[in-house]
Amino acid sequence: MNIIFLGPPGAGKGTQAQKICAALKIPQISTGDILRRAMKEGTETGLKAKSFIDLGQLVPDDVIIDIVKERLAMDDCKNGYILDGFPRTVPQAEALDTFATIDSVIDLEVDDQVLVDRLSGRRVCVKCGATYHLSMLNGAVSCTVCGEELIQRNDDKAETVLNRLKVYHAQTAPLIGYYEKKGLLHKVDGAQGLDNTYQAILKTLGAQA
Ligand code: AP5
Ligand code: MG
């Protein structure tokens, strides 16, 4: 099954995609993770992306479309995948239609107020990328999966978070209508607890785990 996870920054796309991908044994394709890796490695794409990401803006469509097209052509995508963070603009969705067939779009719905709290409290592992919220950590400063240091993402600083939300409403939210018209959109309440959200997504996909 080829699935898109849509939703604002902090809606839980990454958290839920990781769990659903493990359950369905399909890869999670997070354009945010791909770009952060490229920035860490200092590649040309990474350097180009950094100036946009640090301001909470989207990287240009042509950069990201090529990356996703190449990634979806890889062998491990043959039995399906979850796109986490792509498409994010109507031109990206139109481009995707030319090289992929999407079966389902899950739109995680969460209010802006909750998103700001989630993002400002998010901490991620520098090594394995596991995601936490300060409220879950009880003062712990290292990753419970691999023991490495937890850091705050650069774009989770307060002023950048507000900009990312603005960008989401202006450029990404129109995709809700785009996929609704195609009959592919499924809204899921992302403000529930982690497990309830996970179960709701599985049920929507008609999958079992
Ligand atoms: P990206 O990394 O995709 O960031 P994002 O869309 O802003 O989404 P996040 O990763 O911030 O949120 P999420 O929905 O994954 O939430 P998470 O599960 O972590 O992109 C970063 C940047 O890269 C973009 O701003 C852009 O510049 C660029 N980019 C990427 N893709 C692009 C594209 N296609 N085109 C152009 N540019 C692109 O959860 C958040 C927090 O909430 C965590 O702390 C988590 O523990 C907590 N949480 C999650 N679920 C729950 C729950 N149910 N209850 C309580 N807490 C919860
Ligand atoms: Mg994410």
Side-chain angles (χ1 to χ4, degrees):
M1 204 174 344
N2 302 337
I3 304 161
I4 291 172
F5 274 16
L6 205 62
K13 301 181 297 293
T15 303
Q16 296 297 337
Q18 197 175 12
K19 283 162 69 87
I20 302 278
C21 282
L24 303 183
K25 299 188 176 57
I26 54 176
Q28 171 189 2
I29 298 169
S30 158
T31 42
D33 286 351
I34 292 172
L35 293 170
R36 278 184 289 278
R37 207 173 310 127
M39 289 195 296
K40 208 169 160 186
E41 289 166 0
T43 65
E44 201 182 315
T45 303
L47 292 174
K48 204 188 258 181
K50 187 171 167 38
S51 55
F52 295 96
I53 292 181
D54 284 352
L55 293 175
Q57 289 168 358
L58 298 180
V59 306
D61 287 339
D62 56 335
V63 174
I64 202 77
I65 289 167
D66 285 346
I67 290 175
V68 174
K69 191 174 180 185
E70 232 174 77
R71 180 64 188 88
L72 295 189
M74 290 183 185
D75 258 8
D76 63 337
C77 292
K78 290 219 161 68
N79 295 324
Y81 46 79
I82 291 181
L83 283 169
D84 158 13
F86 182 94
R88 252 183 159 93
T89 63
V90 171
Q92 288 181 20
E94 287 168 347
L96 181 66
D97 285 341
T98 68
F99 57 83
T101 305
I102 298 302
D103 301 301
S104 193
V105 179
I106 300 289
D107 179 33
L108 285 174
E109 295 185 298
V110 181
D111 286 345
D112 281 11
Q113 192 77 35
V114 176
L115 297 171
V116 171
D117 170 68
R118 284 190 185 179
L119 292 173
S120 45
R122 174 167 56 187
R123 296 294 180 270
V124 289
C125 173
V126 280
K127 189 170 174 212
C128 74
T131 301
Y132 302 87
H133 189 271
L134 281 180
S135 60
M136 305 169 182
L137 286 167
N138 295 322
V141 290
S142 49
C143 178
T144 57
V145 181
C146 71
E148 283 295 326
E149 185 196 357
L150 300 178
I151 55 154
Q152 182 174 41
R153 258 169 56 176
N154 240 348
D155 61 346
D156 280 347
K157 307 266 158 69
E159 61 288 5
T160 317
V161 164
L162 294 179
N163 203 29
R164 284 163 64 201
L165 284 173
K166 247 192 243 161
V167 167
Y168 166 78
H169 288 294
Q171 298 189 56
T172 308
L175 291 179
I176 296 171
Y178 182 91
Y179 286 113
E180 214 156 28
K181 269 196 209 126
K182 289 179 179 283
L184 294 174
L185 192 86
H186 303 282
K187 295 185 180 186
V188 171
D189 176 7
Q192 317 172 67
L194 290 176
D195 282 343
N196 287 345
T197 307
Y198 173 66
Q199 294 300 339
I201 296 171
L202 278 182
K203 193 170 161 202
T204 303
L205 293 173
Q208 302 232 320

